Each structure stands twice: as C-alpha cells, then as structure tokens.
Amino acid sequence: MLAAIVRASLGHPRIVTALACLIALLGLAALLSARFDVFPDFAPPHVLVQTEAPGLDATQVEALVTRPLEDLLAGTENVKTVRSTSSQGLSAMQVVFDRTGDPYRQRQVVTERLAETAGVLPEGTGAPLLSPLSSSMEYLVHFGYTSDRLSAVELRDIVQWIVKPQILAVPGVAQAQIFGGAVRERQIEVDPIKLAAAGLTLDDVVATAKRATTLIGGGYLETPTQRIVIRTQAPGATLEALGSAVVGTHAGLPVRLQDIALIRDGAEPRFGDALIAGKPGILIETSTQFGANTLDVTRALEERLDALAPALAKQGVEYHPALLRPASFIESAIEKLRNSLLIGTVLVVALLLVTLRDWRGALVSFSAIPLALLTTVWILEAVGLSLNTMTLGGLVVALGVVVDDAVIDVENILRRRRVSGPEVDLVALFIGASLEVRRPVFYATAAVAVAFLPILMMSGLQGAFFRPLSIAFLLAVGLSLLVAMSATPAMSVLIMARHQPKPEARFLKYCKRGQLSTIAWLHQRPRVLIGIVAATGIAGMVFLPLLGARLLPDFRENYLIAHASLRAGISLTETARVGEQISKGLMAIPGVKSVAEQIGRAENGQDPDAPNKSEFEVQIDPKLRNATEIDAAIRDVFDDYPNQLVEIYSVLAERIGETLSGESAPFSISVIGSDLDADDRVGAQIVEVLQHLPGSGNVRLTVPPREAELHVELEPEQLAANGLQAADVLETLNAAYHGTVAAELKQADRSVPVAVRIAGTGADPQSVGALLLRGRDGAVTRLSAVAKITTELARSLVDHEDGLRRQIVVATPTGADQVGFARAARKAVAQKVALPAGVYLRYGGAAEAQAAAAHELLLHSAAAFVLIVLLLGLAFGSSRHVLLVLLALPSTLIGGVVAVAVTGGTLTLGAMVGFVALFGMAARNTILLISHYDHLVAEEHEPWTLATSLRGAEERLTPVLLTALLTALALLPVALQLHQPGHEIEGPMAVVILGGLVSSTLVSLLLIPPLAARWLRPSAAAGK
C-alpha cells in the first residue's frame, strides 16, 4: 500500500501538490481563527454549594446544615469528592465531578438532590446556592474601584447596581464576586423600652415592616374604548413613609414605627473587606464560564470596563484595572511559544540549506512543516480543542520529526542523483529512492508514535495537562508520514527533476571520515565496545532514580498571591489595619506595580474565609527588577509581621494545588477521625515532626485552633417565671447582633433589604447580658436574668472530606525535590506519630500526584515497550535485529540524565515525559540504520562484512545526523528559555530530549555499526 501511494503521487504530481496547497490554506484559516488559552482544562468540573445559616456557630452549622446536605448528596452519580467547611453562619461545600461525565448534567443532578432540602434544614437557614460551572483557572480578571468622594455605601451601590450587571452581560463571564464597600440596608432600629411601653412585640415590628414594603398590584379598569392599568406603590417606599407605618394602638392612639424605632439607611453586617494599594475600596473578582476562552472573554470584559470608566470618573470613582490578570501570562506564554516555533523553523531551514546545499531540496523538505502543522491545527480546531501551551508544545516537539520524514526522502534522492549517470531514468530513480526509505521510515515513525502512547493514556491532572500535547504530536507525526509519502515525492519531481545536485557538504565528509575510523577502532576492541555500551546504559538507569522529583516546576508569572492568616477570632477591622500597613510596605518595593487585598469572604463567594484571613494579590514587573529579588523583598515585608502566617504562590501553582487536594500547598496530610480533639492532637504532633525535617518551609494546621465564643444558655425556670418563650428570646438576640431581615424593598433597578435591629446594643461581651426582653404583662427583663452567659473556647471551623471530619497539615517545602521531602515526611510520621484508634492519615498534594504519574507512566511505558518489540519484529522478522535496537535504548538515557543534572537536577513531570518520548526517537535512528543494512544485503547483494557495515553507516550518517540536528534545533529555543513563561513544562522536556539526542545519535552512528558487524546477520530476504 505504501508503494502504491508513492507511485500514485509521482504519477500525478501537480494534482497532489495542488491538493496539498489547498489543505495548507484551510489550516492557515483555522490558525487565524483559533482559540488560544494558557493550559487545557486541567481541573475536573466542580460546583460550590453555599448555605447561609445566620447566628449558628461552626459545630451547629456542621450538625444542622452540612451533615444533612452531605447525606442528600451521598451516592450522587459521577461525584468524585465532596469537601465541606462549616464556619460561623456558613456551610460551604465543594462537589467535584468525575472528568468523564457531562458537567452540565452532573450539576443538574446536584440541583435536583438539593431541591429536597425543604424540611431538612433549620428555620432561618437560606436556600443552598450553587455556583456556576467555571474553567480550571477560575480567575478571569480582578479589578477594583476606590473613591475619595463617595461613602462606602454609595460606592457599593454604583458597583453593585451599575457595574456588576455590565460585567455579567459579557459572554463567557460566569460570576462576579464583590469584596469591600458596604451593602445598603434599610434599618429599623427598635428602642426596646419604647417597644415595651407601647405593649408591642418584635414580631409586630417585623410584620409591620413586611406589610409596609409589600407591593400589591391594583389591577385595571375596563372602559368601552380602552383598558387603564391601576398602578400602586409600596406604602413604605421611602424612609418617611416607612416610619409612618402603623404597628398597633396604645391607649386608643396609633403607634407608628417612627414612634418606637429609628428608621435610616445603613450598612449590612460585613463578611469581608478590600484594600487597593492600602486604601479602602471595592475589589471585584470575575471567573470564566466552563469551556469559555480566557483570552477572548478577558478582552471583551476589559473593553466593557474601559467604556464605563469615564462615566464613573465623573462621579468620583477611580478604576484600578488588571489587579490580577491570568490572560497576561497566556499572552506572554503563547507569544514565546510562537517565537520558539518560528525560531526553530528558521534554524531548521538554515540547517537544510547548509546540509543539502540545494535550495530546491530544502524547499521540498521544509514544505512538510506547514503542511503537517497547519493540517494538525485544522483538525484540532475541528474537534474543539483550543491552541494552548501544551498543544503548541506538542507541535514544537513534533517539528523535528515532521521535517525528518521528508528530509530522509529528499536526502536519499539527492544521494542517488549524485552517484547516477546523466542517462538515468529519473522517474525510476525517484520511485526507487522513495520506496527504499519508505518502509523503514514508516516503522521508525510508528515506533515514535507508540512511545507517545503512555503520555496519551495518562489520567488525572497529569493526563489533562499532557494529553493535548500527545494528541497534537501524534497528529502532526501521522500527517507528516502521509506528506512524506505523497506531497514530498510529488514536489520532488516538479522541483528537482531537471536539477543536478551539488556535491555533499564538506563538514559531512569530515564527519564520515571520523565515523569510519572510530567504528574500525571499536571493531578491533570488542571489550571496549561492550564496556562503553554497558557503562552508559547502567549509568543512565542508576542515576535517573537519584534525581530529585516534583510534579510541576515553578511558573514564571507576573502575579503572586499571598495567603495571610492572623490568629483565629481577629476582627475585620484589625485585619484591615494590618493589611494596610503591609500593602504600603509592598507598594514601596521597586518592581511591584499594584497590590490588592481581599479580607474574609464575599457574599456567596467561592472562598469561605474567616475575617482573620486575607489574600494579597501582588502584580510585579520583572522588567524593572529581577523577579527573584522582587519575590525575596515581598517575603521580607511579610517577615516583619511574625504574628501572621503567610504562604506565597503563583496563580497557576495555587490552582493546581487546589485541584490536587483542595489545598494550595504542595504537600498535605489529612488527619481523618470523628473525634476533632484527637485529630488536633495528631495534627499538632505531625506539625512538630515535619518542622524538624530539612527544607520543610512553612508547616501549619489549616483548621484553626479554638477561638473565644460567647455561650448563651437559656434557663427554662427563669423563662417561665418571666413569661418568655425561648424562641422569642433567641429572635430578639438575633435581631440585636445580626439583624432580622423582614422584607426586600424592590425598586426599579435594585433592591434594598429591610432589617429590624435592636438599638443600643454595645460591642463588648458584657453588654449582651443587658439586652432587654419584654416579659409577661409587658414587663422588661434583662437577658442575664433568664440565661447563663459565659465566654468559652470553641471551634471556628470544621472541615470534612467525603463526610468525614478532618484536620489538615500542610507544608511548603523550600527545596526542589518535593517527592524526596514527601518520602522523608512519610517515614518520619510513621516512626514518630502513634495514631489513636479511629484516626488515619491521607496524603495529598503535588508529591503524591508526581508519584502516581510516575507509576502510571512506568506501567504504560512497559505496555508501549511490548508494542515496540512487536513492531520491530514485524519490521525485521529477526530477533537479532530487534535485540540490537533494544540494546541501544538504555545508553540513550545518560544524555537526558546529564542534561537534567546540569539544568537543576530536578525531574519534573515534563522531564519524565521527555524520557518517554526520547525512547521512540532513539529507536527511530537505529531502525533507519539497520534497515539500510538489510537493503544493502537484500537489494544490492552486498556480502555482510565490516566493509558493508562501514558503507551502511557512512550512507546513513547524513540522514541520522540530520534527523538529530533538525530535532535539536527545533527544540533548542524552548530549552534555552527553560525558565520563561510558557516554557515551564515543555522546557524540561526539551532539555531531556536534547541531551538524549546527543547520546542516542552517538550510539546509532558509532556503537551500533561495530556491534552490527559482529552480531547482525542480514539475510537476502530481509527488507523485501
């Protein structure tokens, strides 16, 4: 079949060339309209379920809200993990779905399960709210607003009711969370003494507020000629109208709300706050819809915000753009990968011109690059895959292999033309030259493709990262094989038929001379030859496991996120005060462009953080100062505040960590057990053990210790004596210190909650006991008379995973060898921490994912190795041929190992993938050489001697060396920019392949020929 394709292409060269040009144009059109992103969706689909439970503490939220919701979701199909956090007034759950299902259907199933909450949750609890599906990055753009003219309430009104609708109207925006400012609330502050004097209750006030703000339609009048709508207005639409609402009567006179309460517009209780450059303001965090393109949505949103900015400026509102903008990393990464691809292409063209010494041959060889790569882009776009750093990385890695297939064909044609006479039949020469290399090239390319199958078969986060790379590579390589069998012969006939090639390049003659002398020398010294092969192979296999390992490298982003935590129980005001000082210190650092801080949580926000926690979003400019120096200066600022725990990550590192284990830190241990006190004790022991390990970095417990809590225990006897109901007392307490929302005042473009509060409540714990209650016959009683009020230490947060209570220990190792730290941590914990009954540990983080990926790659690589052996058997039909190819593979490891050691000594997942790909590329060169030996014996009837071995090695030096150099030059720009944005994953892979190409090329050209001369036995039937 291969021969038939080649002959058909040579028979109709113009038609084949025209079709090739048409396909290239379609690919170019697809490239111009392609969607670009930073990475494929590496996180599994998930939704957040948040339920407000005002007035309940963490353990009450756990028992009354979180547990019932977890029971409802138990057994839901395609749910992989359910994590939950119960804190004061909030139950926050993360439902992680399996990657294989339809996320929209999975979300619908969760919605249906949560619809059964009626009667399950306690009275006063809000309905569970589901977040929209979002992309892996989640973060879209963070931006802010400040004002020196407007109050916090006025600024929040503008953002809430003018800016936010504009944001959500942009296609692709999933959510907009607002931190800071103050939410407007219409407050009815009841004077308890006046209320009691009027003989009224708090329920009367709540009912009146609800009636006064309820709008009831008036209907319409039907006249003989027209219909007239009767428009009504809510009686309490203004402060004055609401104050005039009648609550009841006393002594025959009406009692209005304004007689017993102060009616005013105030601010809702705050869950969080925001600072921008150390000034109070509003921070808006937007997220991307699931499947949306980050770059397109970012640009559309920024265009909308830029259009709004002038109008807002007239109102005294200053716009702070791009406080956190992942699209900047995407743009930088894509640009650098594009440049690497272009530079690699230019280097490939230069090498072709220097080596082939024929612009026609270089043009035919080079044509395989646009044809194969553009067609790959076309297919990727057609199946819905975006172009990202991984797919582009696959194209960069494939660049050398893509051009190799065509180069081998062209080089063989040029070699035959040089030795043929002027009367040679050119058509027969072209057919013979193409068919001679077609079969070995097919099997060699198939070996490379099989070597990439383990990468394609990876699962989890590592599979989500590298599967697009392998798909792009396999598509490009498969298409290059088709191009080499069709377009390359056709273009060769059209362009090269009437041209006599120049003599071979001089440097190739020098290389061949050195090669022949080295092979002859090694042939005479078989022990030295075997020793070199054995030593290099053993050294590679011995030193490879000794390299440090981690899942992914550090990403070079221009944004850093610092997670800061003060002592549990600290107020929003104190956290903001400390944050203001830190922000000013950070802004003073040269190279820091902007600083924004979010404190606590947003209403229905994704992160259910307490008031003592905050996140600093720091934008840096590496052009002004070295990024490492800026990072060190940032850490120095935080070190000046030793009472605050701080962890600093890049945006991608944070998202990857949260995807792996729910924690940002690269290493975590979950202490799981039903007894929270036992979990705390074990967790504290583990922290102590880890802190003594070298390079442990910041080690801490994520579930905070107990904090001060005011316990109010009602005394039934005293309640009865004063004629009070327990529910009435608790409602009064809630109104005093949280506020009871009685109604929602709907206006044309906004709504304002109407809340009933108790006036005169103090902010100190002692004032709680002085809260006045209306007892029997209107008598006023203090809360302290009917309840026991004590200050105790209680839990501020309870964490669950899959319904089980847990404490979490996290560490941020300072060294690059995260796998080594994880191994040492496991050993130390096993030796020094005794687990009580009912408590067990679950390890998580990047180190565990790296170990799982290594195990998976090893298993799949073993299967791929078996396939390669079968493929070699099919290609050669001789066990000696197969064993000789396999004998060369271990020696190729040493080059990759040395390259990793020189560039840092850490084996990342990208480097591991590089080693897997290297085996296929190394086998390719050996297959081409041994196939040529078969051709010399079977087709040209040469006897198998050392001279034949030398001839075959000499004739294959140019294509083998050219193959290695082309691949090396294609990858060189990526390897040289190892630490640049966009090259963090492909860079280590390119380094491994470059190092391995050096050793594999030397093995193929210098060690295989003398081994073949002594051991190989080509037969006359081989290769037919």
Side-chain angles (χ1 to χ4, degrees):
M1 185 180 74
L2 301 180
I5 296 175
V6 172
R7 289 191 175 94
S9 300
L10 290 171
H12 306 87
R14 289 180 174 80
I15 295 176
V16 172
T17 303
L19 286 174
C21 293
L22 177 61
I23 293 173
L25 288 174
L26 291 173
L28 180 62
L31 177 64
L32 295 176
S33 62
R35 299 179 300 116
F36 290 93
D37 217 329
V38 58
F39 287 123
D41 268 327
F42 55 83
H46 66 275
V47 293
L48 302 177
V49 182
Q50 294 200 353
T51 309
E52 300 278 356
L56 301 183
D57 77 348
T59 54
Q60 291 171 331
V61 170
E62 178 198 25
L64 300 176
V65 182
T66 303
R67 286 286 189 196
L69 292 179
E70 287 176 339
D71 291 342
L72 282 174
L73 294 178
T76 304
E77 60 177 313
N78 288 325
V79 170
K80 185 177 180 181
T81 304
V82 177
R83 302 186 185 104
S84 67
T85 299
S86 302
S87 57
Q88 191 272 320
L90 179 70
S91 168
M93 303 172 62
Q94 183 190 38
V95 184
V96 182
F97 301 124
D98 189 83
R99 296 176 185 270
T100 59
D102 178 2
Y104 295 100
R105 184 178 182 278
Q106 292 167 336
R107 187 180 186 276
Q108 180 61 32
V109 171
V110 171
T111 303
E112 292 171 359
R113 289 290 185 104
L114 293 178
E116 302 172 14
T117 56
V120 175
L121 301 181
E123 186 179 351
T125 302
L129 299 177
L130 265 71
S131 69
L133 290 169
S134 59
S135 67
S136 295
M137 280 301 296
E138 285 193 354
Y139 303 131
L140 180 60
V141 183
H142 293 188
F143 53 94
Y145 295 97
T146 57
S147 178
D148 296 327
R149 187 192 309 173
L150 303 178
S151 67
V153 172
E154 292 170 331
L155 180 60
R156 179 67 181 239
D157 279 346
I158 291 175
V159 173
Q160 181 86 27
W161 305 111
I162 297 177
V163 178
K164 185 176 180 180
Q166 295 291 313
I167 296 171
L168 296 178
V170 176
V173 176
Q175 195 173 24
Q177 301 179 78
I178 302 177
F179 288 84
V183 179
R184 184 180 297 275
E185 181 182 73
R186 187 146 296 176
Q187 298 174 345
I188 304 173
E189 295 189 352
V190 179
D191 186 325
I193 297 178
K194 292 181 178 179
L195 182 68
L200 300 170
T201 65
L202 197 62
D203 287 340
D204 296 329
V205 176
V206 172
T208 301
K210 186 174 182 179
R211 289 194 305 269
T213 53
T214 299
L215 177 62
I216 302 173
Y220 58 88
L221 291 174
E222 188 79 29
T223 71
T225 58
Q226 67 181 125
R227 175 177 290 184
I228 302 174
V229 176
I230 302 174
R231 182 177 183 273
T232 61
Q233 185 176 353
T238 63
L239 291 173
E240 295 76 12
L242 183 59
S244 299
V246 176
V247 184
T249 59
H250 181 68
L253 297 174
V255 179
R256 298 169 299 176
L257 277 177
Q258 63 189 19
D259 297 329
I260 57 173
L262 173 65
I263 315 296
R264 65 187 182 95
D265 279 351
E268 282 187 358
R270 294 186 302 161
F271 301 102
D273 204 350
L275 298 175
I276 298 174
K279 294 173 57 178
I282 289 181
L283 176 65
I284 303 178
E285 299 184 356
T286 57
S287 57
T288 316
Q289 289 177 0
F290 185 80
N293 181 261
T294 303
L295 272 181
D296 293 342
V297 180
T298 298
R299 290 165 180 167
L301 177 58
E302 289 177 332
E303 184 179 346
R304 182 72 58 91
L305 294 173
D306 290 341
L308 283 173
L312 296 177
K314 294 178 181 179
Q315 297 177 270
V317 178
E318 183 180 358
Y319 169 47
H320 300 267
L323 298 173
L324 184 69
R325 187 180 185 271
S328 299
F329 177 78
I330 300 174
E331 292 165 345
S332 174
I334 295 295
E335 179 185 3
K336 284 182 169 56
L337 272 172
R338 278 175 174 167
N339 293 339
S340 295
L341 193 59
L342 290 174
I343 293 171
T345 302
V346 171
L347 292 175
V348 164
V349 172
L351 179 64
L352 289 172
L353 291 171
V354 170
T355 307
L356 300 179
R357 301 189 66 197
D358 186 290
W359 68 266
R360 295 171 179 83
L363 176 62
V364 173
S365 301
F366 173 75
S367 65
I369 294 177
L371 272 175
L373 298 191
L374 289 175
T375 307
T376 301
V377 171
W378 180 29
I379 295 174
L380 290 174
E381 279 293 300
V383 299
L385 293 177
S386 67
L387 285 184
N388 50 60
T389 54
M390 302 310 295
T391 50
L392 288 177
L395 297 180
V396 171
V397 175
L399 188 61
V401 181
V402 164
V403 74
D404 282 349
D405 288 345
V407 163
I408 292 170
D409 202 4
V410 171
E411 190 277 335
N412 205 41
I413 292 173
L414 291 174
R415 183 179 63 83
R416 288 200 175 197
R417 287 292 306 277
R418 290 189 186 106
V419 299
S420 63
E423 303 301 326
V424 68
D425 184 350
L426 290 180
V427 175
L429 184 146
F430 276 87
I431 293 176
S434 297
L435 292 180
E436 175 190 344
V437 296
R438 192 50 43 216
R439 189 170 182 272
V441 165
F442 174 81
Y443 283 109
T445 304
V448 174
V450 170
F452 263 79
L453 288 181
I455 305 170
L456 183 67
M457 296 167 65
M458 294 172 72
S459 61
L461 179 137
Q462 54 269 24
F465 263 108
F466 284 94
R467 195 176 298 113
L469 181 146
S470 61
I471 291 173
F473 178 89
L474 291 172
L475 271 175
V477 168
L479 289 167
S480 74
L481 189 61
L482 183 61
V483 169
M485 290 190 297
S486 56
T488 300
M491 293 180 67
S492 298
V493 169
L494 292 176
I495 297 176
M496 300 168 57
R498 297 178 177 84
H499 172 69
Q500 184 64 31
K502 295 180 180 179
E504 193 173 51
R506 184 174 298 177
F507 82 92
L508 289 175
K509 294 180 180 179
Y510 292 144
C511 290
K512 289 180 178 180
R513 193 179 305 160
Q515 178 198 27
L516 294 178
S517 61
T518 303
I519 293 172
W521 187 86
L522 288 172
H523 184 265
Q524 296 173 0
R525 295 166 178 80
R527 292 184 179 180
V528 174
L529 175 62
I530 297 299
I532 292 173
V533 173
T536 53
I538 293 172
M541 291 186 289
V542 168
F543 288 115
L544 180 60
L546 299 181
L547 296 172
R550 62 185 300 174
L551 182 67
L552 294 170
D554 293 325
F555 292 96
R556 311 293 176 180
E557 299 181 69
N558 292 344
Y559 292 92
L560 298 175
I561 296 180
H563 295 262
S565 177
L566 292 168
R567 180 174 53 83
I570 293 296
S571 67
L572 276 174
T573 304
E574 177 62 13
T575 305
R577 185 190 67 80
V578 175
E580 181 180 353
Q581 296 177 3
I582 294 175
S583 296
K584 291 178 179 178
L586 293 174
M587 289 298 297
I589 298 173
V592 172
K593 295 179 66 176
S594 67
V595 178
E597 182 189 15
Q598 65 175 59
I599 303 170
R601 65 181 178 91
E603 293 80 2
N604 300 317
Q606 294 185 349
D607 297 318
D609 289 337
N612 65 307
K613 293 185 177 182
S614 62
E615 287 185 12
F616 290 86
E617 297 168 356
V618 185
Q619 182 183 8
I620 65 174
D621 187 357
K623 296 178 182 178
L624 299 178
R625 189 180 179 189
N626 182 272
T628 304
E629 295 177 0
I630 299 175
D631 184 86
I634 290 172
R635 295 179 187 276
D636 289 341
V637 170
F638 283 107
D639 288 343
D640 293 336
Y641 299 84
N643 62 335
Q644 184 166 232
L645 290 172
V646 178
E647 294 171 352
I648 302 176
Y649 306 102
S650 67
V651 178
L652 276 168
E654 182 195 49
R655 290 296 307 127
I656 290 169
E658 292 178 353
T659 298
L660 290 171
S661 62
E663 301 296 328
S664 301
F667 179 76
S668 65
I669 304 176
S670 294
V671 183
I672 298 175
S674 58
D675 187 344
L676 292 175
D677 293 328
D679 295 345
D680 287 347
R681 288 192 295 269
V682 172
Q685 293 175 29
I686 293 174
V687 168
E688 186 177 356
V689 169
L690 295 185
Q691 285 175 339
H692 287 86
L693 293 179
S696 60
N698 185 15
V699 183
R700 64 180 178 89
L701 296 173
T702 62
V703 180
R706 297 172 183 264
E707 65 179 36
E709 199 172 84
L710 208 60
H711 278 214
V712 178
E713 183 179 352
L714 299 179
E715 298 179 347
E717 295 82 3
Q718 297 300 324
L719 289 175
N722 287 274
L724 292 169
Q725 297 289 334
D728 295 336
V729 175
L730 296 178
E731 287 175 359
T732 303
L733 184 63
N734 181 271
Y737 293 99
H738 183 272
T740 300
V741 177
E744 194 83 15
L745 184 59
K746 303 293 184 182
Q747 298 177 352
D749 60 347
R750 63 196 65 191
S751 62
V752 180
V754 179
V756 176
R757 301 180 177 277
I758 303 296
T761 54
D764 57 293
Q766 291 75 21
S767 65
V768 176
L771 180 66
L772 299 179
L773 307 170
R774 182 177 182 275
R776 183 188 299 122
D777 300 329
V780 175
T781 307
R782 292 178 179 272
L783 177 61
S784 57
V786 297
K788 183 180 180 181
I789 304 174
T790 57
T791 302
E792 299 180 9
L793 293 177
R795 297 190 176 276
S796 60
L797 186 146
V798 180
D799 203 273
H800 287 186
E801 184 172 34
D802 295 329
L804 301 175
R805 286 175 159 184
R806 65 171 181 168
Q807 174 62 273
I808 309 170
V809 181
V810 297
T812 53
T814 56
D817 185 8
Q818 294 180 352
V819 172
F821 174 82
R823 192 182 303 115
R826 275 180 174 268
K827 183 178 179 180
V829 169
Q831 291 175 347
K832 299 179 181 180
V833 178
L835 299 180
V839 176
Y840 65 95
L841 306 181
R842 183 180 294 169
Y843 290 83
E848 296 301 308
Q850 166 73 8
H855 178 267
E856 192 175 37
L857 267 179
L858 186 62
L859 182 64
H860 293 158
S861 296
F865 177 78
V866 173
L867 285 176
I868 289 177
V869 171
L870 296 175
L871 190 67
L872 293 174
L874 185 63
F876 297 116
S878 167
S879 59
R880 286 177 178 265
H881 289 65
V882 174
L883 290 174
L884 188 57
V885 174
L886 299 180
L887 182 65
L889 292 182
S891 298
T892 63
L893 276 176
I894 189 65
V897 171
V898 171
V900 173
V902 169
T903 55
T906 303
L907 193 65
T908 64
L909 186 56
M912 291 173 59
V913 169
F915 277 109
V916 173
L918 181 61
F919 276 113
M921 295 181 179
R924 175 187 176 89
N925 288 338
T926 310
I927 291 171
L928 291 173
L929 177 61
I930 295 177
S931 295
H932 190 56
Y933 286 153
D934 284 345
H935 172 80
L936 291 176
V937 173
E939 300 293 336
E940 300 189 19
H941 308 293
E942 292 281 349
W944 183 243
T945 62
L946 175 61
T948 305
S949 174
L950 290 172
R951 177 190 167 185
E954 182 184 16
E955 291 179 350
R956 287 295 96 187
L957 180 138
T958 299
V960 169
L961 185 61
L962 199 53
T963 293
L965 288 175
L966 287 171
T967 304
L969 289 179
L971 292 174
L972 187 62
V974 179
L976 292 178
Q977 299 183 82
L978 176 66
H979 301 298
Q980 294 297 314
H983 292 73
E984 294 92 343
I985 294 179
E986 289 90 346
M989 181 171 61
V991 166
V992 168
I993 295 175
L994 280 176
L997 280 174
V998 173
S999 57
S1000 68
T1001 304
L1002 292 175
V1003 168
S1004 298
L1005 295 178
L1006 302 179
L1007 300 184
I1008 294 298
L1011 284 173
R1014 287 186 172 274
W1015 194 38
L1016 199 64
R1017 298 291 184 269
S1019 65
K1024 290 185 179 179

